Amino acid sequence: MNLPMWRKALTVIPNVSKQEWDGLDIFSKWLISTRAAVLVMTAMSAVLAGLFAWRANSFDLSAWVALTLGLVLAHASNNLLNDHVDYSRGVDRHNYFRTMYGPHPLENQLLSQRQHLAYFFVTVLLAFVCGLYLVWQTNFNTVTWALLGAGAFFLLFYTWPLKYIALGEIAVFLVWGPLMVGGGYFVITHIWDWNIAIASAVYALGVTTVIFGKHIDKMMPDREKRIHTLPSLLGEKASRYAVLGMMILPYFIVIYLVTTGTFSPVLLIVLFALPKLKQVAPAFLKPKPEERPEGFPQGQGGWPLYFAPLAFMYNRAFGSLFILGVLADVVLHKLIV
């Protein structure tokens, strides 16, 4: 056990040498290989689904644990598959941008392709077991089967071909919103609620801005490799404005949810994220600078990535306030009802 490395790998994606890698325990290697630090985005979707179920007096601990583990393991599986497919297709070989968010197990020769596939198959099998438990727990409901099938489809085909044909960003929105949160709410409560699906869009749009920002940063390398992401088709200017639109739209969704009485006004706490929006918005109104701006972070998680770190910084502020608002709304709802 290497608890310091476990904590580090869960907060950042650590760069390690081959010598350091060889001295790590297998769980540390799995955390680094799956880019575990980004799995928190998926865990937050499960937290939201659980909070919404608790608010509806239908929380089931065993279902929520299975949901959380299943979603996190599915995301980890996708990260492993993403690296394997892109490496096999030559996309991640000598890819400077890929190294900006962590070591590549195959490119950096930390794992053989056989070992990497073993990590993937064990991880995806565990995710599938969690999914089957939820199918059983919901009495083999057809909606649960459909949710499991949709999750498997996006897991297996996001990297190729969806990302290559401008559907990757749409897939991210659907997965982190209606599928994870709306579907998660269903497998816990056995009820599909369109208001929950609408509320899930608030969180999903934030996650989508980050992937959109990353694809703007990688637009030219992606075009050279014939990876037709949505930003590569729209162009930089339209993509920058699309990100701004996705940052602004959640405020209107929250206002709709409050004015319709679906949630209490406490959810308007997200308005405190407006100063952060005011801080990052000017960057999206202009083309990416030719050189790193003074004071902008460099290296892992920073330059030459530019729009992705800005979107992540804003999403962290807005997303934290949204989850806090949902939690406060649940507590108030429990006290009043």
Side-chain angles (χ1 to χ4, degrees), residues 45-46 48-49 52 175-186 196 200 203:
S45 288
L48 283 172
F52 291 143
V175 168
W176 266 270
L179 186 59
M180 287 191 182
V181 181
Y185 177 85
F186 175 84
I196 299 301
S200 75
Y203 183 73

Side-chain angles (χ1 to χ4, degrees), residues 139-324:
N139 297 316
F140 302 92
N141 190 288
T142 54
V143 175
T144 312
W145 277 114
L147 291 168
L148 180 61
F153 173 79
F154 287 121
L155 188 161
L156 294 173
F157 300 112
Y158 166 77
T159 304
W160 188 89
L162 296 180
K163 187 172 70 173
Y164 282 68
I165 55 175
L167 293 176
E169 297 81 8
I170 296 172
V172 166
F173 172 77
L174 293 175
V175 168
W176 266 270
L179 186 59
M180 287 191 182
V181 181
Y185 177 85
F186 175 84
V187 298
I188 297 173
T189 66
H190 304 183
I191 298 170
W192 180 265
D193 189 324
W194 282 108
N195 284 322
I196 299 301
I198 293 171
S200 75
V202 176
Y203 183 73
L205 283 167
V207 177
T208 309
T209 62
V210 178
I211 196 71
F212 227 93
K214 186 177 78 171
H215 288 168
I216 298 173
D217 290 328
K218 295 166 65 257
M219 185 182 302
M220 295 312 296
D222 280 345
R223 284 177 175 173
E224 292 170 2
K225 298 176 184 292
R226 297 183 179 180
I227 303 175
H228 304 297
T229 62
L230 196 52
S232 74
L233 295 183
L234 294 176
E236 187 191 89
K237 184 176 181 179
S239 298
R240 289 188 280 107
Y241 279 84
V243 172
L244 280 176
M246 287 187 285
M247 289 178 173
I248 295 170
L249 181 57
Y251 291 101
F252 290 96
I253 298 176
V254 167
I255 291 171
Y256 164 80
L257 293 170
V258 170
T259 55
T260 57
T262 306
F263 291 93
S264 68
V266 72
L267 209 61
L268 294 175
I269 193 175
V270 297
L271 295 176
F272 285 102
L274 285 172
K276 184 64 69 174
L277 176 62
K278 184 178 179 181
Q279 178 185 344
V280 302
F284 286 90
L285 294 173
K286 299 178 292 186
K288 180 179 179 179
E290 294 292 334
E291 298 181 355
R292 180 175 66 92
E294 184 177 354
F296 195 86
Q298 187 172 17
Q300 189 175 11
W303 189 266
L305 297 176
Y306 180 66
F307 293 115
L310 289 171
F312 179 80
M313 178 176 64
Y314 170 73
N315 183 50
R316 182 172 56 187
F318 180 91
S320 299
L321 286 169
F322 178 65
I323 292 173
L324 179 61

Side-chain angles (χ1 to χ4, degrees), residues 54-101:
W54 183 33
R55 186 180 189 273
N57 297 316
S58 298
F59 184 76
D60 183 312
L61 180 61
S62 64
W64 180 78
V65 170
L67 171 72
T68 304
L69 286 175
L71 292 180
V72 169
L73 288 168
H75 187 180
S77 301
N78 179 260
N79 284 349
L80 289 166
L81 184 62
N82 186 47
D83 280 346
H84 182 80
V85 171
D86 281 347
Y87 179 80
S88 299
R89 295 176 64 86
V91 173
D92 280 347
R93 301 193 184 196
H94 312 294
N95 189 331
Y96 184 52
F97 278 93
R98 172 58 182 83
T99 61
M100 288 297 97
Y101 44 97

